[in-house]
Amino acid sequence: MTVREILKMGDPRLLRVAKPVEQFDTPEMRELIADMFETMKDANGAGLAAPQIGVDLQLVIYGYDNNPRYPDAPPVPRTVLINPVITPLGDTEVDGWEGCLSVPGLRGVVPRWERIRYTGFDEHGQPIDREADGFHARVVQHECDHLIGRLYPTRMRDFTQFGFTSVLFPDMDPNADD
Ligand code: NI
């Protein structure tokens, strides 16, 4: 397992629309997923999308029991989600703070669907079909945005709620600050 370099905002590879995965459970895919979990853990991330390490595939990972970067967030199941499709359930949006490992040191308030259904496949090609709300729904929407070349600042509506984590949340564990 290898900790891969995480691309930062400004890199054009973060702006691509990723290609669907066509072959599951290959040695290359297993290595990629293991590296992504290692990279996410190393960075204390809540999730990571393949394009963030320069891999042009529709594959995201997320999940944790407790995350120092989001100390108040409830647990999200550890998931590999491939070729995802998100459908909003209802038309309610909620605002919440987000950060991104590709936008280090910053946080912003982003509107997201409150409740979603999401479908896709796990690392073995088995179907995933879930409903989610709250922070779980937010993480899935954030990660899947990476697959269409969207970083969270492009979803923001109020730039008065955008700034450096160390200024906005001075009491947060500095090791939790990306
Ligand atoms: Ni991100």
Side-chain angles (χ1 to χ4, degrees):
M1 288 192 293
T2 312
V3 173
R4 307 270 197 109
E5 183 192 354
I6 297 175
L7 306 183
K8 295 197 182 79
M9 184 167 64
D11 191 305
R13 288 172 288 178
L14 290 169
L15 303 178
R16 295 185 294 199
V17 176
K19 296 187 174 72
V21 171
E22 290 175 354
Q23 283 194 301
F24 295 85
D25 240 343
T26 62
E28 297 77 22
M29 187 63 68
R30 280 194 284 276
E31 188 181 348
L32 169 64
I33 290 166
D35 285 359
M36 285 177 65
F37 273 108
E38 195 70 7
T39 304
M40 181 173 83
K41 191 173 125 200
D42 179 69
N44 283 324
L48 188 70
Q52 290 182 277
I53 57 165
V55 174
D56 187 25
L57 287 173
Q58 292 180 23
L59 191 160
V60 302
I61 65 167
Y62 49 85
Y64 54 86
D65 293 326
N66 53 65
N67 186 307
R69 291 184 68 237
Y70 296 95
D72 301 326
V76 173
R78 178 185 156 108
T79 303
V80 176
L81 180 63
I82 296 171
N83 299 347
V85 176
I86 294 176
T87 313
L89 297 175
D91 52 13
T92 307
E93 291 181 332
V94 282
D95 284 334
W97 287 97
E98 293 186 19
C100 179
L101 299 174
S102 294
V103 190
L106 296 166
R107 295 281 169 108
V109 168
V110 185
R112 299 286 185 187
W113 301 115
E114 183 177 38
R115 293 187 66 234
I116 58 170
R117 175 185 178 204
Y118 65 93
T119 60
F121 300 91
D122 72 8
E123 62 268 49
H124 307 297
Q126 297 300 310
I128 290 174
D129 186 342
R130 289 184 190 157
E131 291 184 9
D133 58 14
F135 197 70
H136 182 177
R138 176 169 298 277
V139 167
V140 173
Q141 291 171 84
H142 175 114
E143 296 311 326
C144 292
D145 258 359
H146 282 293
L147 306 180
I148 56 169
R150 296 290 299 260
L151 299 172
Y152 79 79
T154 74
R155 296 286 189 196
M156 290 183 59
R157 293 179 187 146
D158 178 2
F159 283 92
T160 68
Q161 294 187 292
F162 187 44
F164 290 96
T165 316
S166 58
V167 178
L168 289 162
F169 305 106
D171 296 335
M172 196 179 276
D173 174 0
N175 294 319
D177 184 23
D178 52 341

